Amino acid sequence: MRTDRTQRTRIRSRAHARGYTLVEMLVVVTMLGIIGAMIIPSLSQTHVIRVQAAVRAVVSDVAFAQADALAYQQGRAVIFDTIANSYTLCEVRGAVIDPVADALYNQRGVGQRYTITLDEERFGGARLDSPDFNGGDILIFDELGGPVPAPGSGELSDGGSIDIIGPGLRYRVDVRAFTGRLVVTREEG
């Protein structure tokens, strides 16, 4: 009789040992709530990060075109296409720049051309807007890396700018006159 009672006590104590107490459950739920409160706001900021990635891509490619012009002692251009939401890095070979024939080589690019499209998936809705380089949408660097108003021109341009806009965000990339220095500012709206 004693063995039956001892066995039942052991079975009950093992059953209780396998379960969770109310306090343990409350601690887990509280921890999950705190983790959720930290993660949810950062998820809503992903569009900001993607638009900033678009700004960094534009700035690095413009800086690359300028450095490439200086390295090869040959003019380079960046042609912005706001309709296709893309830009192409090109060699300056003559008075007219053709974004297909004069595009720099890029092994991963479409047709191996150095064309970058700000797509929705990668750049979260970022759009190129209002390119203004001497009244047009082509930024040209001479063989010394300085911005010029036209291919083969000997005079320096007044620089220019392009805006990158996203949901509730607007960044302006300015190319300064004479030096071609790039300056990024965040604008309201």
Side-chain angles (χ1 to χ4, degrees):
M1 190 178 224
R2 200 164 176 103
T3 58
D4 287 339
R5 193 178 294 164
T6 306
Q7 279 182 332
R8 277 185 266 162
T9 305
R10 283 185 193 158
I11 290 172
R12 283 186 196 147
S13 66
R14 273 194 255 151
H16 289 295
R18 289 187 205 151
Y20 297 104
T21 65
L22 180 60
V23 173
E24 290 171 329
M25 293 298 287
L26 287 174
V27 168
V28 169
V29 168
T30 303
M31 286 174 36
L32 290 174
I34 291 170
I35 291 169
M38 291 186 320
I39 290 175
I40 289 174
S42 65
L43 290 177
S44 67
Q45 297 298 317
T46 57
H47 73 280
V48 173
I49 293 168
R50 289 184 177 183
V51 172
Q52 289 173 348
V55 172
R56 284 190 295 277
V58 169
V59 168
S60 72
D61 286 335
V62 169
F64 170 74
Q66 184 180 28
D68 201 55
L70 185 59
Y72 288 100
Q73 294 290 293
Q74 183 181 3
R76 296 290 185 255
V78 182
I79 301 174
F80 293 96
D81 183 352
T82 56
I83 295 169
N85 202 34
S86 66
Y87 56 92
T88 304
L89 277 63
C90 298
E91 292 182 45
V92 176
R93 296 181 182 165
V96 177
I97 303 168
D98 180 5
V100 176
D102 296 333
L104 293 178
Y105 173 78
N106 181 0
Q107 70 181 19
R108 292 179 290 185
V110 176
Q112 297 185 323
R113 290 188 300 271
Y114 205 125
T115 299
I116 305 298
T117 301
L118 301 183
D119 59 9
E120 176 71 31
E121 180 181 328
R122 186 170 165 203
F123 295 110
R127 304 259 335 137
L128 296 171
D129 189 45
S130 308
D132 183 16
F133 301 99
N134 297 300
D137 55 3
I138 302 176
L139 171 60
I140 303 169
F141 293 107
D142 66 6
E143 66 277 355
L144 296 176
V148 292
S153 174
E155 68 179 79
L156 294 173
S157 78
D158 294 331
S161 66
I162 181 141
D163 293 345
I164 294 106
I165 58 174
L169 299 167
R170 179 179 285 273
Y171 290 91
R172 172 160 287 166
V173 178
D174 286 309
V175 179
R176 298 293 165 96
F178 305 113
T179 62
R181 180 173 175 241
L182 299 170
V183 177
V184 178
T185 54
R186 182 174 176 174
E187 299 183 349
E188 296 300 318

